[in-house]
Amino acid sequence: PPSLYATMGKYVQAQRKGKSPVFKAHTRTRKGAVKLRPIDYAEKHGYIKGVVKEILHDPGRGAPVAKVQFLNAYRFKRDNELMIATEGMYSGQYIYCGKKATLTVGNVLPLSSVPEGTIVCNVEAKVGDRGAFARGSGTFAVVVSHDEDKGTTRLRLPSGGKKTVPSGVRAQIGVVAGGGRTDKPLLKAGNAYHKYAVKRNCWPKIRGVAKNPVEHPHGGGNHQHIGKPSTCGRERPAGRKVGLIGARRTGRLRGVKKTGQDKD
């Protein structure tokens, strides 16, 4: 029967990543999901005060997180939220969330209450999703313009791209803490080992051309060469989908440095 002969070759690593628990993220020591407060009446109409209890290191995350405590409006209890620490935040600081909060670093405001040119971070994509854009260490988004008629706001994201979001979405004011992390080189493999050990099994990376033909479409040959185009269609079968997948263009970016920065 042909099933006896169907087992030749290996699955390439990219295929194993989806299935196997070996490549899962290492989450045991993580502090928890980092989000804004769940949106409520106080934030929509006024403001609510919270206090930064402590600034924590979250393993596998380049940016510190802040543990912020709010009084619950409906029960006799306090609510702890893990928020992204903005640069300049300190323990014991009061932060204010809501439409009527002041424009101070660390506060959470809807974009409709924020003037153009403000630097914000941890911006929601939809109202109430508790934070989607500009959450990595040192990142920020810039409020480019408000469209009052449509109720939308243009943002410039850390990638340089522009995005239009509803003006009701919330954002923290300021820059995410932990900036400049990548300026210092890792210097040695041991540092890279520890960096990725708390993230997930994704290091060291072996190049496809360095493998055997059984393990990778680019493997084999008497010199390390790809031997076929490095670009590869979006709809190719899983074992062949390696290299530059669905590339619109390849090569160096020459003379097009003004990607998202130019107009508006």
Side-chain angles (χ1 to χ4, degrees):
S3 60
L4 290 177
Y5 307 108
T7 54
M8 287 180 63
K10 280 188 177 180
Y11 284 106
V12 303
Q13 190 181 19
Q15 288 174 287
R16 293 195 289 122
K17 281 198 167 175
K19 178 183 179 198
S20 121
V22 170
F23 299 100
K24 283 207 304 216
H26 300 161
T27 53
R28 181 178 57 86
T29 54
R30 304 246 172 123
K31 299 290 183 287
V34 172
K35 294 180 171 177
L36 301 173
R37 291 181 72 246
I39 195 160
D40 59 1
Y41 187 88
E43 280 205 44
K44 280 185 193 152
H45 299 281
Y47 66 88
I48 185 164
K49 181 171 87 166
V51 61
V52 180
K53 280 301 196 186
E54 51 182 340
I55 309 268
L56 304 161
H57 166 69
D58 194 13
R61 182 193 295 270
V65 299
K67 190 178 191 182
V68 187
Q69 198 170 71
F70 296 92
L71 277 178
N72 188 301
Y74 305 104
R75 303 266 183 290
F76 178 67
K77 64 174 185 179
R78 298 201 163 120
D79 295 330
N80 288 314
E81 296 293 339
L82 274 181
M83 289 174 147
I84 284 180
T86 51
E87 207 163 286
M89 207 179 252
Y90 54 90
S91 55
Q93 178 186 4
Y94 288 126
I95 63 168
Y96 299 89
C97 305
K99 192 177 87 169
K100 299 266 171 63
T102 54
L103 192 74
T104 326
V105 170
N107 286 358
V108 179
L109 277 73
L111 287 184
S112 51
S113 315
V114 167
E116 295 171 5
T118 310
I119 284 176
V120 293
C121 63
N122 198 12
V123 192
E124 297 181 321
K126 306 182 187 68
V127 178
D129 77 3
R130 302 176 69 186
F133 305 124
R135 292 161 54 95
S137 56
T139 57
F140 60 90
V142 181
V143 179
V144 179
S145 59
H146 291 299
D147 187 339
E148 308 287 342
D149 308 332
K150 293 204 188 96
T152 57
T153 300
R154 289 278 280 174
L155 290 174
R156 187 158 82 240
L157 297 180
S159 61
K162 301 275 193 344
K163 183 142 189 96
T164 307
V165 293
S167 295
V169 304
R170 296 169 297 162
Q172 283 177 255
I173 310 295
V175 183
V176 183
R181 175 170 50 87
T182 52
D183 298 348
K184 177 172 174 241
L186 283 171
L187 279 182
K188 53 184 196 172
N191 288 346
Y193 169 84
H194 290 297
K195 172 181 170 176
Y196 291 106
V198 288
K199 288 181 182 288
R200 66 201 66 79
N201 176 12
C202 62
W203 184 90
K205 269 200 171 43
I206 303 175
R207 293 162 302 132
V209 287
K211 296 182 181 176
N212 298 313
V214 69
E215 290 137 0
H216 199 277
H218 294 169
N222 278 349
H223 298 284
Q224 282 194 5
H225 68 292
I226 295 181
K228 47 176 79 71
S230 60
T231 54
C232 155
R234 174 70 65 206
E235 307 296 328
R236 295 301 289 274
R240 177 63 187 83
K241 223 159 117 177
V242 294
L244 306 165
I245 299 171
R248 294 200 175 90
R249 68 181 301 289
T250 62
R252 290 196 307 146
L253 287 169
R254 304 183 63 164
V256 278
K257 208 67 200 112
K258 301 189 292 292
T259 40
Q261 269 72 353
D262 42 10
K263 54 189 181 302
D264 72 56

